[in-house]
Amino acid sequence: MQQSPDQIRQAYRQMRLIREFEERLHVENPKGEIAGFTHLYSGQEAIAVGVCENLRDNDYIISTHRGHGHCLARGCDPKGMMHEIYGRADGLCKGRGGSMHIADLDKGMLGANGIVGGGQPIAVGAAVACKARGDGSVSVSFTGDGASNQGTVFEAMNMAVVLKLPKVFVLENNGYSEHTGASYGIGGDLKTRTEGFGIPVWEADGFDYFSVYEAAEKAIEHARASNGPSAILATATRYFGHFEGDPQNYRAKDEVKNFRETVDALKQMREKVTGAGIFTAEELDAIDDEVLALIDASVESARTGPTPGADTMMSDVYIDY
Amino acid sequence: MAVLTMRDALNQALHEEMERDPSVIVMGEDVAGGSGGTSGNIEAAGGIFGVTKGLKTKYGADRVIDTPISESAIIGLANGSALAGMRPVAELMFADFVGVSMDQIFNQMAKFRYMFGGKAKTPVVLRMSMGAGMNAAAQHSQTIYPMLTMVPGLKVVIPSNPADAKGLMKQAIRDDDPVMFFEHKALYSKKGEVPEGEYLTLFGEADLVREGKDCTVVALARMVPFAMKAVDKLAEEGITCDLIDPRTTSPLDEDTILESLSMTGRLVVVDESNPMCSIASEIASIAASKGFGSLRAPVEKVTAPHTPVPFARELERLYVPSPNDIEAAIRRTLANQVEGV
């Protein structure tokens, strides 16, 4: 644990923020106030935070349909995100994107993406801009085990190698591609496949923030130093269904319960940090309380936030319309 | 004025814009060509149709990027680099290859700005060759611009001559919205006068190619020179037509078409695309709804048939609307008089 207490506090808070944001959405979703599809990231927090804590302001990330965690880890405003998920005019995307399309260009967050495998070619494009600027910036894409079977991901990997781009592929294996097991859907294995393109892969325990952070540190440094693309392969699970409302008939009865009680990312981090005497349980509880209050306030204001007026329907289809 | 081919006019536009703005980059299969070859020639192709010739030699490999054959990733390169501040001009060797990269076009670049609440700018130009006439058969000959014209967020440009091609390309590169730029293969070697010096051709402004009083003819791309033949032949008989080249289908200059229709009362729309859900049917529908009071005869659509593009010379010739087809359609609409009008 070579990180400073400040870094660890920040990482713990980010992970807690993602956890509570998602757990709360799981509670709010059945109430009927949230429209559309919602895909939750609970269980995978250590991956988004372990990667994003290594990033600089001028780096880029692109996310997936399961994007809330990546957005929060990249520093998107939780309240603005909550308002967006509730379809409010003052949401991060003015209520025109929703859960699956949250983006914040000012933060180098190039969007969650409703198309599985749609983001990776775009992230390679951002890496072209990073290389052109020559400022050591990198472009990071998050890819689930499901998306890793899309041809676009293979194209993106090959393109990044051929053009020797500062591109980091984060492969998140959460065990399920929608309602089908990753073990069924993946021919070969993700590490060997990626290495087949000549991309070095750093593996991490996706439940362990420190494991992800260290793998990401090496992978990102590799890309920053103009050595071409790199990859991180992190394995974890998702605590909820593919989408909210998914009955998860494909999962063994106690599967999630066992993960939550044993390797859970927040639980692990608390044990490590308190065990090493860096923070007391009370200090971490105080962070939890602050995060919970923030989520409460975000949901409360999102529930009553302004709905977009009909006059905004035609805005931003083009620069001038 | 210089006389240039459309190929050279487009090439000039790319050179000028790359010179003017260092954020302009070019990418695609064989846009330079020669990378990894045994000849050592770093610019062995200059684009399959020669449009990107000389760019790599002048601007280097970082700005003129030879890519693998990965159309989704090529357009992804354009999309991501545009979001990150560049002005990419990506090339799809053939417009038909939209088929393997459609997601990056209509789900991604077209929607960023809207989905992301107006924060994103996506100044991508996607160049692609199109059109029948080279016996390139069903997967290398299509004019698929109607498919992209129907997508909100995209602009669609279809030049018919070298001067417009240059001015429209320069405008496309400077435009902050994604622009689909269709180049007809059979027009690349056609010559035309190109103004000296700097000029831009604005989108949504149709060109009135011929002026007349008896009929309004609207045509795009290669159908413009074909329509000119028909219109000029009829002029010898004293039948005169307005010939309108919209130049862009999104935005579409409806006003010029409707204004002409209000004078002539007759409309012939010529479109090399298949007839269903085409630009021809769109313009016919505009005439039926907004120009109904002007119509003195049914609208004539001159399009390719509802078939794939055939290979054999005889069949391909039948497939592509000809000057004779256009002439016949004009004669039909002139002979046709709606009762009571």
Side-chain angles (χ1 to χ4, degrees):
Chain A
M1 245 180 278
Q2 293 163 342
Q3 295 180 49
S4 73
D6 278 352
Q7 279 179 300
I8 291 170
R9 181 191 294 113
Q10 160 74 5
Y12 177 80
R13 183 184 178 280
Q14 291 291 75
M15 285 170 55
R16 178 60 70 190
L17 179 62
I18 296 170
R19 172 65 55 86
E20 298 306 335
F21 193 94
E22 301 293 65
E23 299 281 332
R24 182 64 181 269
L25 279 175
H26 181 69
V27 171
E28 296 298 326
N29 204 275
K31 295 180 184 173
E33 290 177 68
I34 299 168
F37 302 132
T38 312
H39 309 83
L40 301 180
Y41 193 72
S42 278
Q44 299 171 241
E45 296 87 350
I47 305 174
V49 176
V51 171
C52 288
E53 285 302 303
N54 278 286
L55 297 181
R56 301 172 184 165
D57 287 349
N58 57 359
D59 294 328
Y60 295 97
I61 72 163
I62 198 156
S63 175
T64 70
H65 59 287
R66 198 173 304 288
H68 304 166
H70 307 129
C71 292
L72 289 166
R74 186 57 181 152
C76 294
D77 173 39
K79 190 177 163 210
M81 285 176 58
M82 195 64 85
H83 281 235
E84 185 60 31
I85 291 164
Y86 274 80
R88 300 308 179 198
D90 55 357
L92 209 48
C93 302
K94 301 182 189 168
R96 288 204 298 258
S99 167
M100 266 194 290
H101 305 298
I102 297 177
D104 190 347
L105 278 291
D106 296 337
K107 293 213 155 35
M109 201 290 154
L110 303 181
N113 205 305
I115 305 298
V116 173
Q120 289 72 18
I122 302 167
V124 175
V128 169
C130 293
K131 188 180 177 186
R133 291 201 303 247
D135 57 1
S137 57
V138 299
S139 170
V140 177
S141 61
F142 290 89
T143 305
D145 49 274
S148 72
N149 295 323
Q150 289 278 31
T152 48
V153 176
F154 304 142
E155 287 192 25
M157 285 183 170
N158 185 58
M159 187 72 81
V161 170
V162 169
L163 302 181
K164 214 177 176 193
L165 297 174
K167 170 78 190 66
V168 181
F169 293 89
V170 182
L171 306 172
E172 292 187 77
N173 187 347
N174 69 10
Y176 291 101
S177 310
E178 300 183 4
H179 303 225
T180 299
S183 60
Y184 171 85
I186 295 171
D189 67 88
L190 296 180
K191 181 166 188 282
T192 314
R193 278 191 198 178
T194 307
E195 287 170 344
F197 285 102
I199 299 175
V201 180
W202 279 270
E203 286 187 276
D205 174 357
F207 290 108
D208 179 357
Y209 164 75
F210 296 101
S211 169
V212 176
Y213 184 92
E214 282 157 26
E217 189 174 35
K218 293 185 187 107
I220 291 168
E221 185 46 43
H222 177 93
R224 278 202 207 289
S226 305
N227 295 314
S230 59
I232 300 151
L233 173 57
T235 304
T237 195
R238 58 168 149 82
Y239 287 164
F240 299 116
H242 166 51
F243 56 89
E244 281 309 274
D246 170 7
Q248 301 185 74
N249 295 329
Y250 45 88
R251 293 186 106 154
K253 189 167 159 280
D254 288 332
E255 184 179 288
V256 172
K257 184 167 175 279
N258 290 339
F259 280 122
R260 281 193 188 261
E261 289 172 359
T262 55
V263 290
D264 178 79
L266 272 301
K267 179 174 177 287
Q268 272 202 59
M269 191 166 189
R270 283 183 72 102
E271 286 166 4
K272 284 190 183 172
V273 167
T274 53
I278 299 167
F279 293 114
T280 64
E282 292 71 28
E283 285 171 313
L284 296 179
D285 289 345
I287 294 173
D288 295 355
D289 292 343
E290 178 261 320
V291 164
L292 281 166
L294 174 61
I295 302 293
D296 275 346
S298 299
V299 169
E300 210 45 51
S301 68
R303 292 182 63 208
T304 55
T307 52
D311 59 319
T312 66
M313 172 88 128
M314 304 295 280
S315 306
D316 301 318
V317 179
Y318 297 96
I319 302 286
D320 294 309
Y321 198 28
Chain B
M1 283 211 246
V3 173
L4 296 177
T5 61
M6 191 171 91
R7 169 188 296 108
D8 289 342
L10 287 165
N11 182 256
Q12 216 174 59
L14 290 168
H15 270 281
E16 287 177 16
E17 292 305 297
M18 289 196 79
E19 177 72 36
R20 187 185 63 80
D21 182 350
S23 71
V24 178
I25 56 176
V26 166
M27 57 199 56
E29 295 155 14
D30 300 327
V31 289
S35 303
T38 51
S39 73
N41 184 348
I42 63 147
E43 220 185 296
I48 192 74
F49 295 106
V51 174
T52 48
K53 210 171 176 178
L55 295 175
K56 186 173 180 183
T57 303
K58 192 154 182 207
Y59 301 105
D62 285 344
R63 290 184 65 196
V64 182
I65 302 169
D66 270 333
T67 67
I69 301 173
S70 305
E71 282 83 7
S72 288
I74 292 167
I75 302 175
L77 280 186
N79 288 347
S81 60
L83 285 177
M86 315 291 285
R87 288 192 173 275
V89 181
E91 176 177 313
L92 276 186
M93 205 175 261
F94 293 89
D96 313 71
F97 303 167
V98 159
V100 285
S101 50
M102 193 61 164
D103 178 61
Q104 288 295 324
I105 299 171
F106 92 115
N107 277 323
Q108 309 294 343
M109 71 162 88
K111 296 177 169 59
F112 288 152
R113 185 169 180 81
Y114 194 79
M115 286 193 307
F116 300 165
K119 265 192 189 175
K121 273 200 309 190
T122 317
V124 170
V125 180
L126 183 58
R127 294 183 41 242
M128 52 199 130
S129 74
M130 69 159 190
M134 292 175 68
N135 309 107
Q139 296 174 339
H140 289 74
S141 302
Q142 297 168 87
T143 50
I144 51 106
Y145 46 80
M147 287 169 66
L148 300 183
T149 300
M150 63 83 71
V151 180
L154 300 180
K155 293 178 175 173
V156 179
V157 178
I158 310 168
S160 68
N161 62 73
D164 285 353
K166 181 178 176 186
L168 290 164
M169 177 57 76
K170 287 169 69 81
Q171 174 63 29
I173 291 170
R174 297 183 196 193
D175 200 284
D176 282 333
D177 289 316
V179 177
M180 307 293 102
F181 202 100
F182 286 90
E183 302 164 8
H184 201 296
K185 294 191 281 291
L187 295 178
Y188 277 132
S189 296
K190 297 282 182 203
K191 289 183 177 170
E193 290 191 335
V194 174
E196 307 283 350
E198 177 77 18
Y199 70 97
L200 301 171
T201 305
L202 299 180
F203 297 168
E205 294 187 6
D207 183 25
L208 188 57
V209 181
R210 291 283 188 272
E211 280 186 72
K213 57 180 177 39
D214 299 313
C215 180
T216 300
V217 181
V218 181
L220 286 160
R222 190 186 185 204
M223 295 299 105
V224 176
F226 280 19
M228 281 161 73
K229 274 190 191 165
V231 166
D232 291 347
K233 186 176 167 199
L234 288 166
E236 290 169 12
E237 300 175 21
I239 299 167
T240 63
C241 301
D242 271 355
L243 172 55
I244 296 169
D245 174 3
R247 300 193 282 207
T248 61
T249 55
S250 179
L252 178 68
D253 183 356
E254 294 183 11
D255 293 348
T256 296
I257 296 168
L258 289 168
E259 197 184 308
S260 169
L261 180 60
S262 75
M263 308 293 283
T264 64
R266 292 181 161 82
L267 178 62
V268 174
V269 195
V270 193
D271 186 352
E272 189 182 318
S273 299
N274 303 111
M276 291 169 71
C277 303
S278 62
I279 302 302
S281 54
E282 176 65 19
I283 292 173
S285 108
I286 291 166
S289 54
K290 299 180 186 172
F292 186 70
S294 306
L295 285 170
R296 287 193 275 160
V299 176
E300 288 284 340
K301 281 166 59 182
V302 184
T303 69
H306 188 62
T307 70
V309 183
F311 164 67
R313 286 192 180 89
E314 298 73 14
L315 292 176
E316 193 195 51
R317 267 199 293 273
L318 279 174
Y319 174 92
V320 178
S322 69
N324 286 343
D325 295 335
I326 300 167
E327 182 194 330
I330 297 170
R331 288 188 190 280
R332 271 198 305 278
T333 186
L334 289 171
N336 208 329
Q337 178 72 29
V338 177
E339 275 183 42
V341 179

